[in-house]
Amino acid sequence: MGSGWESLTLVLLAPIFFICMVLEYRLLRKRGDNDYSLKELLCNFSLAGLHQASDIIATLLLMPFFLWLYQFRVFDISLTPLSIIIVFILQDFFYYWFHRASHHVHWLWASHISHHSSERMNFTTAFRQSLTYPLSGMWLFWTPLMLLGYPPTFVVVVVALNLGFQFFVHTRMVGKLGWVEHIFNTPSHHRVHHARNPEYIDRNFAGVLIVWDKLFGTFVEERNDIKIDYGIPHAVNSWNPFVATFHQWRTLFRLALSPTKTPLSKRMAYLFGSPKISDDAIKDHSPINTMNKN
Ligand SMILES: [Zn+2]
Ligand SMILES: [Zn+2]
């Protein structure tokens, strides 16, 4: 089944991930800039494990639906070098829109926030994934590829390889990479993505190709004169993987299901509108603001 291949893809990449982390740790220590912490490392690895487990279960449950959908495919695509290159580009295009939506739709942000809640940036940050992505409906973004005619089992492997590539952009160790910066997502571009500085926030949503950000107006270049501040505007301050996974869902449901008299349109905005709407609602009801109003 697809889930097996998907996990195998990431397991095969694991030794490379491990070597990169050891090299990064040694180099950061050597230059007196080590941001590795055992507590965060354990939290990040737990998040990766939980994400993998939920992904396997979700793919097993969803595969019958994917195969049903595949019956209605527009083309019968056989896997040739050209069709494989095309599916990698197309999946990366859909990844860009999934990722951009994940920052602008609260229902998706509730999952994606755990990737951003670390205030450090090293290879282990890449392991911060959420077990709730299937609930948010990440898989919906890959269904057009199946309808187009790519076999579902192959699509899930392409998704895993895209995720595998993204491990390498989570580092402060690598500077700018010349011509590569024009085409691919790089550590420099992705550092910008993890920043909460006003100049950088909600930019560079690329998975593999940075060209999507350039085409759709979300690209910002990393500048030497801005010191990056990593993380989310309201820090979580917890090493507990379950807090990292569920804290935003708690906020989302608390607002959407609030017993106070709230119009349905507002409740829908808490669920599917910009996360900023929910942030503002919390600020308006925070004890400090209530005190100021009284
Ligand atoms: Zn993001
Ligand atoms: Zn990232």
Side-chain angles (χ1 to χ4, degrees):
M1 288 299 273
S3 53
W5 283 108
E6 188 186 0
S7 299
L8 186 68
T9 310
L10 292 173
V11 167
L12 288 174
L13 287 169
I16 305 172
F17 295 161
F18 181 73
I19 293 166
C20 286
M21 285 185 287
V22 172
L23 287 175
E24 183 183 52
Y25 175 72
R26 286 173 67 111
L27 195 116
L28 289 174
R29 271 184 62 137
K30 210 168 150 187
R31 72 180 195 194
D33 187 19
N34 180 28
D35 68 347
Y36 270 65
S37 115
L38 184 62
K39 280 180 181 171
E40 179 148 321
L41 188 87
L42 291 174
C43 175
N44 296 356
F45 284 174
S46 307
L47 286 169
L50 291 166
H51 167 254
Q52 257 329 94
S54 99
D55 223 40
I56 290 171
I57 296 165
T59 311
L60 280 170
L61 291 173
L62 286 165
M63 196 46 80
F65 168 71
F66 290 158
L67 291 171
W68 173 80
L69 212 61
Y70 184 58
Q71 292 179 88
F72 306 103
R73 61 192 177 273
V74 182
F75 303 108
D76 269 315
I77 301 175
S78 50
L79 297 177
T80 64
L82 180 66
S83 75
I84 289 174
I85 292 170
I86 292 171
V87 75
F88 271 93
I89 295 171
L90 284 176
Q91 189 271 329
D92 197 53
F93 168 78
F94 287 115
Y95 178 84
Y96 168 83
W97 286 106
F98 155 73
H99 193 187
R100 190 165 167 179
S102 291
H103 282 251
H104 296 289
V105 177
H106 200 190
W107 186 260
L108 290 163
W109 178 237
S111 288
H112 188 56
I113 195 169
S114 58
H115 183 63
H116 283 276
S117 53
S118 167
E119 298 185 342
R120 298 151 198 264
M121 181 60 153
N122 56 49
F123 285 130
T124 76
T125 312
F127 289 93
R128 296 181 67 91
Q129 300 293 333
S130 176
L131 71 91
T132 63
Y133 275 131
L135 175 70
S136 284
M138 183 188 196
W139 49 272
L140 269 171
F141 288 81
W142 324 132
T143 53
L145 298 170
M146 302 167 194
L147 280 171
L148 196 67
Y150 284 100
T153 47
F154 188 68
V155 170
V156 295
V157 173
V158 175
V159 171
L161 283 170
N162 190 311
L163 192 68
F165 170 88
Q166 292 186 47
F167 167 84
F168 301 99
V169 296
H170 292 86
T171 183
R172 294 183 294 118
M173 215 170 53
V174 179
K176 296 211 174 172
L177 297 171
W179 65 268
V180 178
E181 301 285 327
H182 298 297
I183 304 163
F184 292 99
N185 188 18
T186 61
S188 172
H189 298 327
H190 204 62
R191 284 193 287 269
V192 165
H193 182 66
H194 276 260
R196 59 185 162 197
N197 310 55
E199 297 89 346
Y200 287 161
I201 206 153
D202 290 342
R203 291 285 179 266
N204 298 2
F205 298 108
V208 175
L209 298 168
I210 197 70
V211 293
W212 310 122
D213 284 288
K214 294 189 178 187
L215 271 173
F216 301 114
T218 48
F219 175 70
V220 164
E221 176 129 28
E222 185 183 32
R223 283 162 41 183
N224 289 332
D225 59 328
I226 297 175
K227 187 179 174 346
I228 294 186
D229 181 18
Y230 295 103
I232 48 174
H234 309 288
V236 185
N237 297 321
S238 172
W239 309 111
N240 183 333
F242 292 100
V243 173
T245 302
F246 294 110
H247 71 96
Q248 195 67 24
W249 284 108
R250 195 168 156 254
T251 304
L252 179 146
F253 284 116
R254 197 157 51 91
L255 288 167
L257 306 175
S258 152
T260 58
K261 229 178 163 202
T262 309
L264 183 64
S265 58
K266 193 84 188 167
R267 291 181 194 272
M268 294 307 276
Y270 292 145
L271 289 172
F272 304 113
S274 164
K276 288 187 182 74
I277 299 169
S278 300
D279 271 358
D280 291 346
I282 291 162
K283 264 184 246 154
D284 287 348
H285 293 100
S286 72
I288 297 166
N289 286 331
T290 319
M291 253 159 44
N292 289 344
K293 275 176 197 162
N294 289 342

PDB file of all heavy atoms in Angstrom, residues 99 103 112 116 193, ligand 1:
ATOM      1  N   HIS A  99       0.529  25.050   1.520  1.00  0.00           N
ATOM      2  CA  HIS A  99       1.318  25.716   2.550  1.00  0.00           C
ATOM      3  C   HIS A  99       0.848  27.161   2.747  1.00  0.00           C
ATOM      4  O   HIS A  99       0.732  27.639   3.880  1.00  0.00           O
ATOM      5  CB  HIS A  99       2.803  25.665   2.161  1.00  0.00           C
ATOM      6  CG  HIS A  99       3.728  26.042   3.260  1.00  0.00           C
ATOM      7  ND1 HIS A  99       5.070  26.196   3.088  1.00  0.00           N
ATOM      8  CD2 HIS A  99       3.496  26.315   4.581  1.00  0.00           C
ATOM      9  CE1 HIS A  99       5.622  26.535   4.224  1.00  0.00           C
ATOM     10  NE2 HIS A  99       4.685  26.619   5.154  1.00  0.00           N
ATOM     11  N   HIS A 103      -1.192  28.975   6.253  1.00  0.00           N
ATOM     12  CA  HIS A 103      -0.887  30.185   7.029  1.00  0.00           C
ATOM     13  C   HIS A 103      -2.060  31.165   7.060  1.00  0.00           C
ATOM     14  O   HIS A 103      -2.023  32.125   7.817  1.00  0.00           O
ATOM     15  CB  HIS A 103       0.347  30.886   6.448  1.00  0.00           C
ATOM     16  CG  HIS A 103       1.623  30.225   6.857  1.00  0.00           C
ATOM     17  ND1 HIS A 103       2.493  30.800   7.758  1.00  0.00           N
ATOM     18  CD2 HIS A 103       2.147  29.019   6.524  1.00  0.00           C
ATOM     19  CE1 HIS A 103       3.521  29.978   7.937  1.00  0.00           C
ATOM     20  NE2 HIS A 103       3.336  28.891   7.210  1.00  0.00           N
ATOM     21  N   HIS A 112      -0.564  23.311  11.196  1.00  0.00           N
ATOM     22  CA  HIS A 112       0.770  23.736  10.731  1.00  0.00           C
ATOM     23  C   HIS A 112       1.548  24.514  11.802  1.00  0.00           C
ATOM     24  O   HIS A 112       2.775  24.564  11.752  1.00  0.00           O
ATOM     25  CB  HIS A 112       0.598  24.570   9.458  1.00  0.00           C
ATOM     26  CG  HIS A 112       1.882  24.900   8.775  1.00  0.00           C
ATOM     27  ND1 HIS A 112       2.785  23.933   8.371  1.00  0.00           N
ATOM     28  CD2 HIS A 112       2.445  26.093   8.441  1.00  0.00           C
ATOM     29  CE1 HIS A 112       3.833  24.525   7.797  1.00  0.00           C
ATOM     30  NE2 HIS A 112       3.665  25.833   7.832  1.00  0.00           N
ATOM     31  N   HIS A 116       5.974  25.702  13.306  1.00  0.00           N
ATOM     32  CA  HIS A 116       6.540  27.057  13.458  1.00  0.00           C
ATOM     33  C   HIS A 116       6.752  27.473  14.902  1.00  0.00           C
ATOM     34  O   HIS A 116       7.330  28.536  15.155  1.00  0.00           O
ATOM     35  CB  HIS A 116       5.617  28.080  12.778  1.00  0.00           C
ATOM     36  CG  HIS A 116       5.747  28.076  11.288  1.00  0.00           C
ATOM     37  ND1 HIS A 116       6.718  28.776  10.623  1.00  0.00           N
ATOM     38  CD2 HIS A 116       5.041  27.425  10.327  1.00  0.00           C
ATOM     39  CE1 HIS A 116       6.599  28.581   9.328  1.00  0.00           C
ATOM     40  NE2 HIS A 116       5.601  27.753   9.119  1.00  0.00           N
ATOM     41  N   HIS A 193      11.016  32.150   5.932  1.00  0.00           N
ATOM     42  CA  HIS A 193       9.684  31.595   6.197  1.00  0.00           C
ATOM     43  C   HIS A 193       9.437  31.338   7.682  1.00  0.00           C
ATOM     44  O   HIS A 193       8.308  31.469   8.167  1.00  0.00           O
ATOM     45  CB  HIS A 193       9.474  30.302   5.405  1.00  0.00           C
ATOM     46  CG  HIS A 193       8.115  29.732   5.622  1.00  0.00           C
ATOM     47  ND1 HIS A 193       6.969  30.369   5.196  1.00  0.00           N
ATOM     48  CD2 HIS A 193       7.700  28.617   6.290  1.00  0.00           C
ATOM     49  CE1 HIS A 193       5.919  29.669   5.577  1.00  0.00           C
ATOM     50  NE2 HIS A 193       6.324  28.594   6.248  1.00  0.00           N
TER      51      HIS A 193
HETATM   52 ZN    ZN B   1       4.849  27.386   7.140  1.00  0.00          ZN
END
